[in-house]
Amino acid sequence: MNGKINEKKIKRLFFFLKALVILLFLAVLSLAGNIFLQNFAVHSTKSNNAPKAFVKIDSNFTSLWTAPSDWRLMRLSPKEQQQIKYGRELIAHTSQYLGPKGSVAATSNGMNCQNCHLNAGTQPWGNNYFAVEANYPKFRARSGTVENQVKRINDCFERSLNGKALDSASKEMQAMLAYIKWVGTDVPKKKTPKGTGIFKIKGLARATDPEKGHLIYAQKCQSCHQANGEGVIANDGKSYLYPPLWGKNSYNTGAGLYRISNFAGYVKLNMPLGVTYERPQLTDEEAWDIAAFVNSMPRPAKDLSNDWPDIAAKPFDHPFGPYADPFSEKQHKYGPYKPIKEWKEAHRK
């Protein structure tokens, strides 16, 4: 009798343990399922609402052309090396040689070529010389003629440096030509590498605003270029630590930077001093308005009567008439530019 009772107890205990194991298994299975569903829901929410892990890089800022490294000069003859180095020195410190107190001649206003062509014309989107050798001689609508590099350099002396043209056979002209050719080493003929010249920033829907630009200038530019735009002259009295942006010693009304679009693109990726194209500080609107302010200020005038013989070829922001379109000089200078561009496109021959 006792044996049968013990056997029944053992069977009951066995079934109880078996049921307990099954219940525990089901509980664990249920818990795992809930965790899976929660994780799936969270993942789905992140996938739908969060930005993708891979963000396409702005292709404008990748694979930019660079100037040849200095070590490559060793491949040239000592005479060629010396000439190129002198040319770079003239670009970087123009006023020391060709400024009002220059050691060679007094042919310019005291600014350096490097003030407009950063890092001696090698800075990406710093108004560099990368494409000059590959593309000159070329036709330029401003003069209505085919221009060579001598003409291009002398244009800068007569406009941006508000000075006099150099003799094409002079030691200085030949050195600058050699240096610009060196900077354009390896650029294929008739090609313009990425990063050349001045960056074209997005246009404004409104007109540029010199008053807004004045406020931004006071905040971000004035500490270097000073309240009245005269810049800061160096201790030697021959050059500027920070160049003048307007006034009698700045670029004249024929300079490329007197066009607001050029000035805006230039400062956008290069100013205030120390910024780079990878990490600009100014917004597009700030760049446009600063450009409008600086170019609203007085500066030397240049006779432009021989410029743009085909007036229909004038850029949308060329500030001096006559024009082929019906828009005023004020709108050509300050905008809004979109109506001008649309008119020019509609009447293109």
Side-chain angles (χ1 to χ4, degrees), residues 231-242:
V232 176
I233 199 162
N235 290 333
D236 60 11
K238 293 183 178 182
S239 59
Y240 286 94
L241 293 175
Y242 306 107

Side-chain angles (χ1 to χ4, degrees), residues 64-67 121-125 128-135 180 183-185 187 191 193-197:
L64 302 187
W65 196 266
T66 57
T122 64
Q123 176 71 24
W125 283 314
N128 54 64
Y129 302 135
F130 293 161
V132 176
E133 178 67 19
N135 288 278
I180 291 173
V183 171
T185 297
V187 178
K191 297 295 182 181
K194 185 183 288 188
T196 295

